[in-house]
DNA sequence: GGAGGCATGTAAATGGTTACATGATTGG
DNA sequence: CCAATCATGTAACCATTTACATGCCTCC
């Protein structure tokens, strides 16, 4: 149940409304987790029931800021240090790669080249973030920087891989009709 | 709705039972998608209703092999070339990194060092697969090799990142009380 | 004969997306 | 005054997990 803890983690930085939390999912967490506002409002109600957050006074336009309680903070820490992370990933773009053999070589290579382009675009977005964000290197920004570096290295590795893979196919490596000239990968 | 297409993709290699498909999710697809048998049996029934697969004769122990139909094959190809892949990822281990700032430096560094260890173990598993699988470089194995290379590069990049990140924290880079000696990352 | 793996299913609960619905405030 | 954005919520549906449930077959 990670959404609960993601919300606690965001609220540990300071009080925020459901609307604001939704934005933060879109902007900073989108590369690792996602949630829509409909899910977030429901989860905030559950967290309130558990005593992990507490709604503040209603402000302008009906806005309600939620505050993390000390129980909530304790639960966040407990989750981080005690619970084993769920290692299951799901990545539809990579799932498709397993089935590219059903396409002809040209279509498969084009798919991988498009993937490479997608990763290049993602890399540019990471550089933009790096340039725009005022990194003050305290608290959450410090880890934000470390998380950004992860994204950077990840897309760089994936771009290199997709380019390599498209090249392998274009070169006919391992193609059924060229088995004789098969060489070890890379 | 990727599970449908994942099943079509697996069945494109040849007929298989729900049990066998479950195993293949565990063994070869687990790094990009997962599904339990309860979901797979239900989805096979839906795919049968859509005319994309067809159950064969009941064999020993009630085993039923499903065959992909030509409509199913066409749908698989259509999905691969026409539908944009869903790019939303969810990665709980990485989600936690955003909240590590709530821990003390030692606990945060330990988390990242454990992550590095996890990636090293994953790298060893990939090497084992590479050694054990009889790659004949035809059909699906050809793409299996390319997918394996993706996994290899991905865990290598993530191990390097986690090691770097733990080092950053241990060195106190960007720590609030050491802001004066802050240097650019890496 | 019993343990373990093969093989299939259903039910209940939870997690998550999409669509529906409403209203306030700000800036042009 | 109108459009965009802020702000919250509910309902229906779909996807996924966990637990329950059953029986066959093989090897020891």
């Amino acid at each position: 149940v990670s959404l609960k803890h993601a919300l606690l983690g965001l609220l540990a930085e300071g009080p925020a409304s459901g609307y604001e939390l939704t934005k933060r999912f879109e902007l900073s967490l989108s590369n690792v987790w996602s949630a829509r506002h409909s899910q977030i409002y429901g989860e905030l109600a559950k967290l309130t029931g558990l005593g992990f957050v507490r709604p503040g006074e209603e402000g302008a336009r009906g806005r309600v800021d939620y505050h993390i309680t000390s129980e909530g903070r304790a639960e966040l820490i407990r989750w981080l240090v005690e619970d084993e992370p769920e290692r299951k990933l799901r990545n539809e773009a990579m799932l498709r790669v397993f089935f590219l053999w059903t396409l002809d070589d040209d279509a498969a290579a084009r798919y991988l080249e498009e993937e490479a382009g997608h990763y290049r675009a993602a890399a540019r977005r990471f550089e933009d973030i790096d340039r725009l964000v005022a990194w003050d290197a305290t608290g959450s920004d410090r880890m934000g920087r470390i998380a950004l570096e992860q994204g950077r290295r990840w897309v760089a590795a994936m771009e290199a891989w997709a380019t390599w893979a498209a090249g392998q196919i274009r070169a006919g490596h391992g193609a059924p009709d060229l088995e004789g000239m098969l060489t070890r990968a890379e």
Side-chain angles (χ1 to χ4, degrees), chain A residues 8 13 35 37 40 45 55-56 66 68 78 94 111-112 122 126 154 157 159 163 167-168 172 185:
Chain A
L8 289 176
E13 282 177 59
H37 78 272
I40 288 170
Y66 285 82
I68 192 167
R78 192 204 57 71
M94 271 310 302
Y111 179 88
L112 291 163
F126 280 128
W154 168 60
E159 200 248 309
T163 303
Q168 289 285 305

Side-chain angles (χ1 to χ4, degrees), chain A residues 13-156:
Chain A
E13 282 177 59
S17 64
Y19 185 84
E20 227 177 290
L21 292 164
T22 306
K23 285 293 168 73
R24 292 218 222 158
F25 265 94
E26 282 164 18
L27 294 173
S28 70
L29 298 185
S30 58
N31 290 296
V32 295
W33 208 265
S34 63
R36 302 302 180 86
H37 78 272
S38 57
Q39 208 187 348
I40 288 170
Y41 287 113
E43 205 65 42
L44 284 170
K46 282 187 206 167
L47 285 167
T48 304
L50 291 166
F52 293 154
V53 305
R54 177 174 45 75
E57 290 297 291
E58 195 172 311
R61 304 186 214 195
R63 177 193 171 110
V64 178
D65 281 313
Y66 285 82
H67 300 251
I68 192 167
T69 63
S70 50
E71 291 83 7
R73 251 172 231 282
E75 171 57 21
L76 175 64
I77 304 291
R78 192 204 57 71
W79 175 67
L80 284 171
V81 301
E82 284 179 29
D83 286 6
E84 261 304 295
E86 174 68 74
R87 305 249 173 225
K88 251 178 268 165
L89 304 183
R90 48 188 50 207
N91 183 338
E92 194 190 306
M94 271 310 302
L95 175 65
R96 287 170 190 237
V97 172
F98 283 86
F99 310 131
L100 288 183
W101 66 272
T102 60
L103 302 180
D104 60 71
D105 278 10
D106 186 56
R110 257 184 295 132
Y111 179 88
L112 291 163
E113 281 153 6
E114 263 180 56
E115 281 297 292
H118 166 77
Y119 289 120
R120 262 191 299 280
R124 278 194 297 275
R125 281 197 302 278
F126 280 128
E127 297 318 314
D128 289 345
I129 291 169
D130 193 31
R131 237 176 285 112
L132 288 168
V133 174
W135 302 103
D136 62 4
T138 70
S140 61
D141 277 358
R142 201 177 154 212
M143 280 303 161
R145 203 159 177 67
I146 282 174
L148 178 72
E149 180 67 17
Q150 187 271 344
R152 230 197 281 233
R153 290 177 185 228
W154 168 60
V155 296

